[in-house]
């Protein structure tokens, strides 16, 4: 059976991507082809699959340790290697642009938070990304609080046009208040 077909079959029987990877690796397949088969079985485009695997190959796939298939599969899943990209609307792409602008204006988004944001952008979970940013105030010395809160206000306005989640309305009110306060703090 072709490796990608075996991965599809395993996924169709309810296995997680991490467990599917572990099974393929335990069956004697090399780590990279096993991970690639899982990605392709999840309908992740080939070029995106190659890019993702290139990013983690040396650290996770180049020198497999015996009996580490389950751990490696879970790490690949946690890194977002198996995240299925969402088909984004133009509005969603614009929201992501605004959220990235806010990240740049923050001053110091931690690597773990940045990784989570990238995963939410990939999977189209923009509400979670937005809500995580509004709970992370910008750093006044290295960031630009006015730009941060103003950009998040614009992103929130776009999100509320397509998403009725009541948390967004509260978050948008918070961003507007913070943007006003930040603008007032910068006036001479």
């Amino acid at each position: 059976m072709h490796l990608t077909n075996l991965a599809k079959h395993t996924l169709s029987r309810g296995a997680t991507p991490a467990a599917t990877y572990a099974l393929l690796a335990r069956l004697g397949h090399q780590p990279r082809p096993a991970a690639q088969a899982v990605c392709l079985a999840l309908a992740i485009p080939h070029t995106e699959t190659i890019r993702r695997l290139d990013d983690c190959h040396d650290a996770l796939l180049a020198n497999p340790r015996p009996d580490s298939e389950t751990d490696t599969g879970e790490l690949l899943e946690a890194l977002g290697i198996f995240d299925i990209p969402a088909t984004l609307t133009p509005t969603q792409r614009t929201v992501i642009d605004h959220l990235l602008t806010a990240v740049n204006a923050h001053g110091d988004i931690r690597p773990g938070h940045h990784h989570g944001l990238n995963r939410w952008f990939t999977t189209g979970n923009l509400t979670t990304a937005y809500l995580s940013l509004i709970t992370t105030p910008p750093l006044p010395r290295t960031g630009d609080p006015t730009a941060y809160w103003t950009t998040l206000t614009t992103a929130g306005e776009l999100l509320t046009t397509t998403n009725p989640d009541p948390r967004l309305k509260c978050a948008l009110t918070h961003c507007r208040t913070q943007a006003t306060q930040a603008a007032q703090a910068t006036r001479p």
Side-chain angles (χ1 to χ4, degrees):
M1 181 181 270
H2 187 267
L3 198 55
T4 302
N5 289 337
L6 180 56
K8 284 181 186 176
H9 175 74
T10 305
L11 290 165
S12 74
R13 298 186 54 91
T16 65
T20 302
Y21 166 83
L23 172 69
L24 297 178
R26 269 193 231 95
L27 290 173
H29 299 285
Q30 290 299 310
R32 186 178 178 108
Q36 184 172 332
V38 174
C39 289
L40 296 174
L42 292 167
I44 297 169
H46 186 264
T47 54
E48 177 64 12
T49 295
I50 298 305
R51 185 195 64 75
R52 291 179 186 189
L53 294 178
D54 284 349
D55 287 347
C56 73
H57 181 266
D58 292 340
L60 291 175
L61 303 174
N63 298 307
R65 293 186 191 114
D67 300 321
S68 65
E69 299 88 358
T70 299
D71 293 339
T72 301
E74 289 172 0
L75 277 170
L76 291 169
E77 194 161 31
L79 289 171
I81 302 300
F82 303 135
D83 285 353
I84 300 169
T87 302
L88 301 172
T89 66
T91 300
Q92 289 173 313
R93 284 192 290 275
T94 302
V95 168
I96 289 173
D97 289 342
H98 287 297
L99 295 179
L100 289 171
T101 299
V103 166
N104 289 334
H106 182 273
D108 187 28
I109 293 285
R110 300 289 182 208
H113 191 184
H114 201 274
H115 174 72
L117 289 167
N118 286 331
R119 290 190 71 189
W120 293 322
F121 296 160
T122 298
T123 59
N125 194 350
L126 304 185
T127 298
T128 301
Y130 178 74
L131 294 173
S132 79
L133 285 171
I134 68 142
T135 62
T136 310
L139 302 178
R141 291 185 184 183
T142 57
D144 182 345
T146 302
Y148 183 78
W149 292 114
T150 302
T151 305
L152 285 179
T153 297
T154 303
E157 289 167 348
L158 286 170
L159 279 171
T160 57
T161 64
T162 59
N163 187 336
D165 189 327
R167 297 175 301 167
L168 287 174
K169 290 182 181 179
C170 292
L172 182 54
T173 300
H174 174 73
C175 288
R176 286 181 176 137
T177 301
Q178 294 300 316
T180 301
Q181 290 175 356
Q184 290 171 350
T186 61
R187 290 187 188 142

